[in-house]
Amino acid sequence: MKNKNQVAVLSKLCALTLLTLLPLAIAAPVTARGQGATSEKISVLNQPSGPTDAGELETFLDGLFAQDMQKNHIVGAAIAIVKDGRLFFAKGYGYADLENKSSVDPERTLFKIGSVTKLFTWTAVMQLVEQGKLDLDADVNAYLDFRIPDTYPQPITLKHLMAHTAGFEDLHVGMVTLETEKLAPSHEWLARHIPARVRPPGQVAGYSNYGAALAGYIVARVSGQSYSQYVQEHILDPLGMKNATAHWPLPSALRAHESVGYMYNADAYQTFPQLSSHPDLYPAGVMRASVTDMARFMLMHLQDGLYGDAATEIRILHAATARQMHGTLYAPHPRMLGNAYGFFEFDDNGQRVIGHSGSGEPMESILLLLPDQNLGVFVAYNSLGAGELNRQHFGFQRAFFDHYYPAPGIEPLEPPSDFAARAERFTGAYKWTMSSYTTLEKYLALTGPTIYVTNPGDGALLLESPFGNWRIVEQEPLYFRQVDGPFHMTFREDEQGRIAYLFTDLTPMMAFDKVQWYETPGFNLPLLITSLLLFLSMLVVALIRFIQRLRQGAAQPAWAWPIRTAFQVVVLISALNLLFIVGNMMWGEQIVFGIPFAYKVTLGLGVLSAALTLVALGFVVLAWKDRYWSAVFRIYYTLVICAAVAFVWFLNQWNLLGWRY
């Protein structure tokens, strides 16, 4: 880290990155449809077969990258496209090292590929399944030297990990560090950071880095090699991926070729600090690779586990295994997009697509495979602003598919005549399942996107989000489609028949929980702001009284002991609560690096304030019984104590009361 400004920027980015990337995929209506959604009247008009001329492709990509890199402040990028069993196109754009003016080389420049690493993890899992060393349906505890709690009767299996349906909550505390000497030994981090199981496995998707890390640890345990060494020997080396690695720190031969990471701040490009994750988390996102090396990985999957031709056959997976990996493992509805065995279904403009995006701060990437077209695309960017471009169905994918696979026509839907009578059961607020439920990270849901479903009274439902509004129409019970597009959603009921979940084609890796009114930002933020204003006003009142006593001295009569104590308690509560908010803003953003001591002290302020609030409730009774102060001031005093009670409720509701991490 170069300066305090970078520390502040980095802390905020790391704390919020995982909360902003995935949900933004629901930003607006798009032309993406599920493979099984065949009941709509869709006309396919002269559907092109994708890129066929390398010269035309280069012209298109040159313009696209020039536009996107300028708009999003991206220093360097690269792309590789494979088609019909060979590398069809590869090119680098901009700089891998801005200071030294080193251009991006598509063959040699290494990018952090972030969560695209998980595809190598799942490939390794399937290799061991082929060898009979792993069973996808077995309890994962059979392969571990620590135990995942038996919260539910159903055990978690490798299939659940691959489909992100294990039911883990999402945690980020202590995931990264700037100091490699503070990295926990292998096994220790996973065993000490087991997330709570908050729903039965197999029912609902909730993207989980921990689940992928757990699978990688199982690979290491069963194979007898470290995860990094296994991937190197059994996937990278056989494929000839010489400019790719799952090791960290980078092997010395590759260090000179790694792209520098950048962020744009204060109208200038700044070098992004090098973050390190614990070895246990390597399977979730450690890899670096050049785009042409990633082309080899794509070719292998497109050729059902085979790389090369008959003369140079290299088989990474059996054909049946590769086809299994590409098939649907979980979907919330038979006609919706879901999750394959590690891949996600990103079907777009009538094309079958599987893929994965990756964020290795500050770098972004996306891998897309079109099995029916025998085509694969991998794009990588080295700057933080590229978060706008690697979202499935948006950014690069949107531009590429609209150019080479234009959307087929679709007939608009009319609302069912009888839907208005049952529309209200769907209305409410929904938050994403990639959330914490039992730790202090739960409060981050307040900054995450909330989808509000309302009933406009015209037979459709209106979905309102921070990123756009659109109308959906019921096609069959609980199953909806965008009024003027192919985007699908479905709702799911709980055991009592109440609407509990919302699922979308655009986010197969997660669902959205329906939340109670008191869990919404619309309730909590006004409550918090009102309480803080009352606390601040009490400090102003205390300051005014202090100044008056200084000026008037003995001329101003002193309050009796109980009255004075009652006033001092409410002033102290107000100060503690305001300090808690300040401390949370200063140190709460740094939890991805661990819990700072200052933040532990901040959490203690909340506990002390809660204890004093109980005392203050007694003083409220005495104030009215014994008529402390004037009636107006007693009302004001009572309001401040009510705000203190509300603040205690707020802290407890969002797991900020005490040390819950």
Side-chain angles (χ1 to χ4, degrees):
M1 302 292 278
K2 299 292 181 66
N3 54 55
K4 291 183 178 179
N5 185 50
Q6 276 193 336
V7 172
V9 172
L10 178 60
S11 296
K12 182 170 291 187
L13 290 171
C14 289
L16 298 180
T17 292
L18 291 176
L19 288 174
T20 56
L21 289 178
L22 287 172
L24 290 177
I26 59 170
V30 299
T31 50
R33 62 180 294 270
Q35 189 72 359
T38 57
S39 65
E40 288 77 15
K41 297 179 180 178
I42 297 176
S43 58
V44 180
L45 304 175
N46 300 319
Q47 190 81 324
S49 58
T52 57
D53 179 85
E56 184 278 332
L57 175 64
E58 183 171 22
T59 299
F60 166 69
L61 292 176
D62 286 352
L64 179 63
F65 276 88
Q67 170 186 296
D68 287 345
M69 291 173 69
Q70 179 180 11
K71 177 182 177 182
N72 296 285
H73 303 294
I74 297 168
V75 174
I79 183 171
I81 297 178
V82 298
K83 184 178 181 182
D84 298 330
R86 66 182 180 88
L87 178 64
F88 184 73
F89 180 83
K91 189 171 183 177
Y93 295 89
Y95 295 103
D97 185 334
L98 185 60
E99 182 179 358
N100 295 309
K101 300 300 180 184
S102 299
S103 299
V104 171
D105 183 336
E107 295 185 359
R108 303 184 69 186
T109 300
L110 276 71
F111 293 84
K112 296 179 184 178
I113 66 172
S115 288
V116 178
T117 299
K118 293 179 175 70
L119 296 180
F120 291 82
T121 301
W122 307 129
T123 300
V125 166
M126 296 304 284
Q127 286 181 326
L128 294 172
V129 169
E130 288 182 343
Q131 298 170 29
K133 296 180 179 180
L134 290 177
D135 181 346
L136 293 179
D137 294 307
D139 186 341
V140 294
N141 281 314
Y143 305 113
L144 299 173
D145 53 356
F146 59 93
R147 188 163 189 83
I148 303 298
D150 299 318
T151 309
Y152 298 96
Q154 308 94 317
I156 293 174
T157 68
L158 282 165
K159 281 185 177 178
H160 296 138
L161 299 183
M162 298 180 90
H164 295 272
T165 58
F168 289 127
E169 68 176 333
D170 191 56
L171 302 178
H172 304 125
V173 170
M175 287 186 69
V176 297
T177 181
L178 295 167
E179 304 169 73
T180 55
E181 64 272 12
K182 292 186 177 181
L183 294 175
S186 180
H187 161 276
E188 183 177 312
W189 195 94
L190 282 177
R192 292 175 56 185
H193 292 80
I194 302 174
R197 297 178 61 184
V198 294
R199 59 182 66 88
Q203 294 189 2
V204 175
Y207 189 83
S208 175
N209 286 299
Y210 185 90
L214 198 64
Y217 183 67
I218 289 172
V219 167
R221 289 266 300 162
V222 170
S223 68
Q225 297 178 284
S226 71
Y227 169 81
S228 298
Q229 192 61 35
Y230 181 91
V231 170
Q232 189 71 45
E233 291 187 12
H234 297 275
I235 302 176
L236 304 185
D237 287 347
L239 290 175
M241 296 177 66
K242 297 180 180 179
N243 290 301
T245 182
H247 287 282
W248 180 254
L250 286 179
S252 57
L254 297 177
R255 290 174 192 167
H257 304 304
E258 183 182 19
S259 175
V260 177
Y262 295 95
M263 58 183 176
Y264 191 77
N265 187 44
D267 297 323
Y269 289 105
Q270 298 180 12
T271 301
F272 196 90
Q274 190 70 266
L275 301 177
S276 297
S277 62
H278 298 278
D280 284 350
L281 292 171
Y282 287 178
V286 72
M287 284 190 59
R288 276 81 167 159
S290 71
V291 296
T292 54
D293 270 24
M294 290 301 297
R296 293 170 177 261
F297 183 74
M298 291 192 293
L299 285 169
M300 179 272 292
H301 269 285
L302 287 169
Q303 296 176 152
D304 291 337
L306 176 69
Y307 180 76
D309 53 28
T312 60
E313 178 178 314
I314 299 169
R315 184 159 288 284
I316 302 299
L317 294 170
H318 296 323
T321 303
R323 287 193 290 268
Q324 180 184 7
M325 275 194 76
H326 304 160
T328 303
L329 174 58
Y330 164 85
H333 187 281
R335 295 168 59 192
M336 288 192 66
L337 298 183
N339 303 332
Y341 288 71
F343 288 90
F344 299 121
E345 294 179 331
F346 291 164
D347 294 21
D348 209 335
N349 286 6
Q351 299 296 323
R352 163 75 171 159
V353 185
I354 56 174
H356 209 294
S357 58
S359 297
E361 290 84 1
M363 302 189 191
E364 306 287 348
S365 58
I366 187 167
L367 181 148
L368 303 168
L369 299 181
L370 288 73
D372 297 339
Q373 301 291 343
N374 202 11
L375 183 136
V377 182
F378 181 75
V379 188
Y381 308 90
N382 68 5
S383 305
L384 201 63
E388 296 285 331
L389 302 174
N390 80 328
R391 302 172 193 156
Q392 63 272 15
H393 303 293
F394 292 88
F396 173 84
Q397 183 177 348
R398 180 78 283 111
F400 184 84
F401 275 81
D402 284 350
H403 184 75
Y404 287 108
Y405 303 98
I410 188 165
E411 184 175 306
L413 287 177
E414 291 296 326
S417 58
D418 62 343
F419 178 73
R422 58 182 183 276
E424 287 299 322
R425 68 190 303 251
F426 300 100
T427 61
Y430 297 78
K431 72 168 186 177
W432 61 340
T433 52
M434 189 181 172
S435 301
S436 171
Y437 294 79
T438 68
T439 77
L440 57 79
E441 293 186 59
K442 180 181 178 182
Y443 86 93
L444 294 174
L446 287 174
T447 64
T450 299
I451 299 177
Y452 291 94
V453 179
T454 59
N455 174 21
D458 60 359
L461 292 177
L462 177 64
L463 273 68
E464 300 175 275
S465 80
F467 321 108
N469 304 331
W470 57 96
R471 296 171 67 243
I472 59 173
V473 172
E474 188 178 49
Q475 288 186 282
E476 62 184 54
L478 305 179
Y479 180 73
F480 292 73
R481 200 201 81 187
Q482 184 187 351
V483 169
D484 54 358
F487 168 38
H488 289 86
M489 305 180 74
T490 189
F491 294 85
R492 183 180 294 175
E493 299 172 331
D494 61 16
E495 294 178 352
Q496 288 74 42
R498 298 169 300 194
I499 299 298
Y501 292 104
L502 167 65
F503 303 87
T504 82
D505 269 342
L506 299 179
T507 55
M509 70 291 296
M510 71 179 67
F512 294 84
D513 277 314
K514 189 174 185 181
V515 299
Q516 299 297 321
W517 59 270
Y518 55 81
E519 298 176 293
T520 64
F523 172 78
N524 281 269
L525 296 182
L527 176 70
L528 181 61
I529 292 171
T530 301
S531 298
L532 295 180
L533 289 175
L534 283 168
F535 300 147
L536 185 60
S537 71
M538 180 55 74
L539 294 187
V540 172
V541 169
L543 179 62
I544 292 173
R545 175 163 175 78
F546 176 75
I547 293 173
Q548 287 176 340
R549 285 188 59 81
L550 285 179
R551 289 179 176 177
Q552 299 177 14
Q556 184 179 36
W559 286 338
W561 174 85
I563 301 176
R564 184 171 64 252
T565 303
F567 183 73
Q568 291 171 343
V569 166
V570 75
V571 170
L572 182 56
I573 289 172
S574 298
L576 288 172
N577 290 343
L578 290 170
L579 286 173
F580 181 93
I581 294 299
V582 171
N584 204 63
M585 293 173 63
M586 293 179 64
W587 297 295
E589 296 170 347
Q590 300 179 26
I591 60 175
V592 288
F593 300 109
I595 304 295
F597 177 75
Y599 192 47
K600 295 177 182 179
V601 173
T602 297
L603 295 172
L605 298 180
V607 174
L608 179 58
S609 174
L612 289 174
T613 298
L614 292 175
V615 175
L617 288 172
F619 279 119
V620 170
V621 175
L622 291 175
W624 286 96
K625 176 177 176 293
D626 297 336
R627 297 192 176 186
Y628 297 173
W629 313 297
S630 67
V632 172
F633 194 82
R634 289 200 302 271
I635 293 173
Y636 170 66
Y637 183 89
T638 303
L639 286 174
V640 176
I641 298 305
C642 287
V645 172
F647 192 76
V648 172
W649 174 88
F650 176 87
L651 296 184
N652 186 63
Q653 167 66 24
W654 299 104
N655 297 336
L656 294 169
L657 186 60
W659 297 267
R660 298 156 78 172
Y661 49 81

